[in-house]
Structures are given as structure tokens and as C-alpha cells.
Amino acid sequence: VICYVSVGSWEDWRPDAGDFPAAVLGNDYPGWPGEKFVDIRAQALRDLMAKRFDSCQQKGFDAVEPDNMDVFSDNSGFPLTRADGVDYAKWLAEQCHSRSLAIVQKNASEITSSIASVYDGALTEDCYADGNWCSDMQPYIDADKPVFACEYNSGIFDAACSWGTPRKYSFILKSEDLNAPVTFCK
């Protein structure tokens, strides 16, 4: 069971939203009202993420899905670099593993080669539909680690399955509202 944690954004509807200092809140996250980018370099932010991981552990989760970890490549409002992203991603893995939680890379394909050795797998969204960057996650497949690939476009799902299944990628089809129905490759 995987615990979803937004590690690269603040969301005004989360129970700990009031705990985030103004200094770690950046630009609005495009397309998601009530969400802002965060400064992944800040110790105050890392302290809050550690508390979230404690909660995942206490609730009995097996792993963490760290969403928005590619904040360094967006217009966050902070001068974040790829090196900042790699440092943060490695810190996230260390924090999860210290709590006996696995962690899967969520998107952020541009840093895969720098972090795959410390992550337990990957989870992608629309990697096939968005130009087939799925192969960026190949280091996980090569290391016999899972790659969970979620697609949202039913029109390309069969093609994604045809590409991914022989390569050991695990594709599913979901609607963007993430309701219960799921389609698996045949």
C-alpha cells in the first residue's frame, strides 16, 4: 500500500497546511487552485515532510509516492537547480528508508540516472501519452525494480501496453479524477 505525499507543493486543503512558513511557499502551481510550489532546500519544509512520512509509517503504509518532486524544473519562484532536485530526492529516500518505507520515483525522469540506485521503483503518469519518455525509467527495469505506469488517455492505452508489457513495465489506465475503475493491460 503506497502513501501519496506531495513533496514539491503546498496544498491549502491538507491538515498541516497552516504549519508551512510563508518563506517556503512559492508560485502558484498551474492548473491546481489552492496549490503552490515549495522551496525544497528549506529545512523547515524537510521537517514537515519528515512528519508526513512518520504519519505514513504509523498508518501502516509500505511505501511512499512522492508527488511533484520535479519542482526544480518548474517556475517555482525559487532558484532551484537539478542538483537541488537530486539532493532532495536522495534525502526523501533516506527518510523513507529510515522508517522502513519503500519509495518510488514519481515522474522527474530527468534525474533518474542520479537516484535510481536509492529508490525502490518508479511510478509514472502519462509517460507513454506524453511522448513516450517511459524508457527514461529503464534503470529500474534493469535493476529488477517495478515501474508502475498510469495512463489517462484510453485512445493510446493499447499501444502503451504493447510497448510496455514486453519491457516489464506495469501499465494501468485510470480517469484523471482517479475514481475506482481501472483497466489493466491484456
Side-chain angles (χ1 to χ4, degrees):
V1 179
I2 300 175
C3 185
Y4 173 92
V5 179
S6 183
V7 299
S9 71
W10 167 86
E11 300 152 318
D12 66 3
W13 60 89
R14 298 288 178 196
D16 63 355
D19 298 340
F20 284 67
V24 306
L25 302 181
N27 292 338
D28 290 341
Y29 197 104
W32 296 94
E35 192 165 353
K36 293 182 176 291
F37 291 109
V38 293
D39 187 352
I40 59 176
R41 303 164 302 172
Q43 186 59 50
L45 175 78
R46 292 181 181 209
D47 293 344
L48 290 164
M49 292 302 120
K51 288 179 183 176
R52 286 181 172 186
F53 298 153
D54 287 342
S55 178
C56 293
Q57 179 192 41
Q58 291 160 3
K59 291 177 180 178
F61 284 92
D62 301 302
V64 169
E65 171 192 346
D67 200 11
N68 301 316
M69 61 187 286
D70 54 358
V71 60
F72 64 90
S73 65
D74 287 306
N75 181 19
S76 67
F78 302 105
L80 301 176
T81 65
R82 181 184 185 283
D84 293 326
V86 169
D87 176 69
Y88 187 52
K90 288 181 176 180
W91 179 85
L92 295 169
E94 176 186 290
Q95 291 297 306
C96 287
H97 291 151
S98 73
R99 291 165 176 80
S100 299
L101 295 165
I103 185 168
V104 293
Q105 179 180 339
K106 175 75 174 283
N107 298 330
S109 66
E110 60 267 48
I111 62 171
T112 299
S113 62
S114 298
I115 67 170
S117 64
V118 296
Y119 273 64
D120 303 296
L123 190 153
T124 67
E125 289 180 301
D126 273 343
C127 70
Y128 192 83
D130 290 344
N132 196 7
W133 55 266
C134 309
S135 60
D136 292 351
M137 299 299 162
Q138 189 64 38
Y140 292 106
I141 299 295
D142 294 344
D144 203 26
K145 297 177 182 179
V147 175
F148 305 109
C150 182
E151 294 291 322
Y152 301 111
N153 181 334
S154 62
I156 57 86
F157 186 64
D158 287 341
C161 290
S162 293
W163 180 90
T165 300
R167 291 172 174 82
K168 299 182 181 177
Y169 288 71
S170 179
F171 277 90
I172 62 168
L173 175 66
K174 294 285 290 178
S175 65
E176 285 189 340
D177 62 8
L178 302 176
N179 57 13
V182 61
T183 302
F184 297 93
C185 293
K186 298 173 187 162

